Amino acid sequence: MSGCCQRFCADFKNPMFGIDESPKGTLDMDASFNIGKGLLSVAGIIKFITLAIAVASEIYSFTATSIPEFYPAYLTPWGVFFGILHLAGSFVLTVFYSKGTNNTNTNNTSVLVKITWLLYSVAGVIGCCITVLFWVAVFNPDKDNDMLDKIMMHGGVVSLIILQGILLDRVPMRLKHIVFSDGVALLFTVWLILQNTMKVGNPHDDDDDDAIYDTMKWRTETTSAIIQAVLVVFVAVPLFQVLLWAASLPGRRYLSGSNGGAENINEETPAAAVDEEKAQVPESAVNKEEGEA
């Protein structure tokens, strides 16, 4: 427990895109994003499939809604859009980038790596919030049909993003990236307030007012809307940020020669690093010991 608390505090002290995690070691950014593996590698094929599924889900959801031009007013398509940007960046890093240029220091980490790294936090955290809010507060089994669309847009795509980030890429989630995740949540909260209080309008049929979400009516049920917004911005977003950060800890990959141990080893296998260090005893030292004997 104390070790986890130490990691938690240390993560806040690290730079936004710092790769030094002493005493664990230096992050191997090439291995963390499978940079330079190529299209026909396992990583390249999986990333192509996940990106294609996310794009297809977004396009289908737009075509399935009755008023496509108003669909961007909702949070759901934006959550999936951030996910598509992350998956696209990850795919480009694997297929078109060369490895070996991102591990020297933070300044050498490419812009695309930093953007893809950041978008993982935004897409994962916002996607989780969207999923919980939809199935708990919005979903109506009597009115909602096309369940495949609902599942993919509210849980399916974000599940692919998180599984790829944890099991394939091993993205080293940063707690400081919550600034951007919470920023997106705050921006959308402001949009909901303006849309409802300034009577921007809602082309969809509504029983009472023009609020985009019937559970968050800023004009007629202000107190309830404020409570929900506070819970999302200051409870749900931080909670999912910490959970995804904790899930990223066991599989982190560190550079050879750093305190983390052998090249590309996972944090969860420290014993293997120790055995490898013992096995790499210089031959000259062995011969010297034999001569003294």
Side-chain angles (χ1 to χ4, degrees), residues 82-153:
F82 287 128
I84 290 174
L85 290 180
H86 164 73
L87 294 173
S90 183
F91 175 75
V92 170
L93 288 173
T94 295
V95 176
F96 299 106
Y97 269 54
S98 299
K99 62 181 180 179
T101 60
N102 294 286
N103 290 325
T104 306
N105 55 52
T106 303
N107 294 329
N108 285 350
T109 303
S110 71
V111 174
L112 183 58
V113 170
K114 292 179 180 178
I115 293 174
T116 304
W117 192 355
L118 176 62
L119 283 170
Y120 175 72
S121 293
V122 175
V125 172
I126 297 299
C128 287
C129 291
I130 291 172
T131 300
V132 173
L133 289 172
F134 176 79
W135 294 109
V136 172
V138 178
F139 177 68
N140 187 340
D142 297 327
K143 294 182 179 181
D144 290 321
N145 49 22
D146 198 348
M147 288 303 298
L148 179 60
D149 175 45
K150 296 294 185 293
I151 291 172
M152 290 306 300
M153 296 297 289

Side-chain angles (χ1 to χ4, degrees), residues 18-251:
I19 62 175
D20 181 21
E21 293 192 349
S22 300
K24 291 293 182 179
T26 303
L27 289 170
D28 187 339
M29 299 308 294
D30 289 339
S32 297
F33 290 92
N34 284 291
I35 297 176
K37 293 293 184 68
L39 177 60
L40 298 181
S41 64
V42 173
I45 293 172
I46 292 176
K47 290 185 178 186
F48 176 80
I49 293 173
T50 55
L51 176 59
I53 292 174
V55 171
S57 299
E58 184 85 304
I59 293 174
Y60 177 78
S61 190
F62 263 94
T63 59
T65 186
S66 57
I67 309 176
E69 60 271 20
F70 191 73
Y71 194 43
Y74 293 88
L75 179 58
T76 296
W78 287 104
V80 175
F81 177 70
F82 287 128
I84 290 174
L85 290 180
H86 164 73
L87 294 173
S90 183
F91 175 75
V92 170
L93 288 173
T94 295
V95 176
F96 299 106
Y97 269 54
S98 299
K99 62 181 180 179
T101 60
N102 294 286
N103 290 325
T104 306
N105 55 52
T106 303
N107 294 329
N108 285 350
T109 303
S110 71
V111 174
L112 183 58
V113 170
K114 292 179 180 178
I115 293 174
T116 304
W117 192 355
L118 176 62
L119 283 170
Y120 175 72
S121 293
V122 175
V125 172
I126 297 299
C128 287
C129 291
I130 291 172
T131 300
V132 173
L133 289 172
F134 176 79
W135 294 109
V136 172
V138 178
F139 177 68
N140 187 340
D142 297 327
K143 294 182 179 181
D144 290 321
N145 49 22
D146 198 348
M147 288 303 298
L148 179 60
D149 175 45
K150 296 294 185 293
I151 291 172
M152 290 306 300
M153 296 297 289
H154 305 93
V157 173
V158 72
S159 295
L160 292 176
I161 293 168
I162 293 174
L163 288 174
Q164 178 175 300
I166 294 176
L167 301 179
L168 181 65
D169 275 350
R170 310 299 178 93
V171 179
M173 186 90 159
R174 280 280 178 261
L175 289 173
K176 280 187 175 181
H177 291 174
I178 192 176
V179 174
F180 298 91
S181 303
D182 248 339
V184 172
L186 282 171
L187 284 174
F188 197 74
T189 300
V190 171
W191 157 242
L192 291 179
I193 295 173
L194 295 176
Q195 185 274 334
N196 196 205
T197 58
M198 298 183 68
K199 300 181 180 181
V200 174
N202 183 351
H204 293 284
D205 293 334
D206 200 293
D207 296 334
D208 39 38
D209 62 9
D210 291 331
I212 293 179
Y213 297 107
D214 287 335
T215 58
M216 192 174 285
K217 301 174 182 177
W218 290 93
R219 194 167 71 242
T220 59
E221 299 177 11
T222 307
T223 303
S224 175
I226 292 175
I227 293 173
Q228 292 180 62
V230 169
L231 288 175
V232 171
V233 175
F234 297 106
V235 178
V237 171
L239 175 62
F240 284 117
Q241 189 82 29
V242 171
L243 290 176
L244 291 179
W245 168 79
S248 75
L249 291 178

Side-chain angles (χ1 to χ4, degrees), residues 266-278:
N266 295 339
E267 184 180 333
E268 60 193 0
T269 57
V274 175
D275 292 340
E276 185 168 340
E277 288 180 0
K278 290 181 178 180

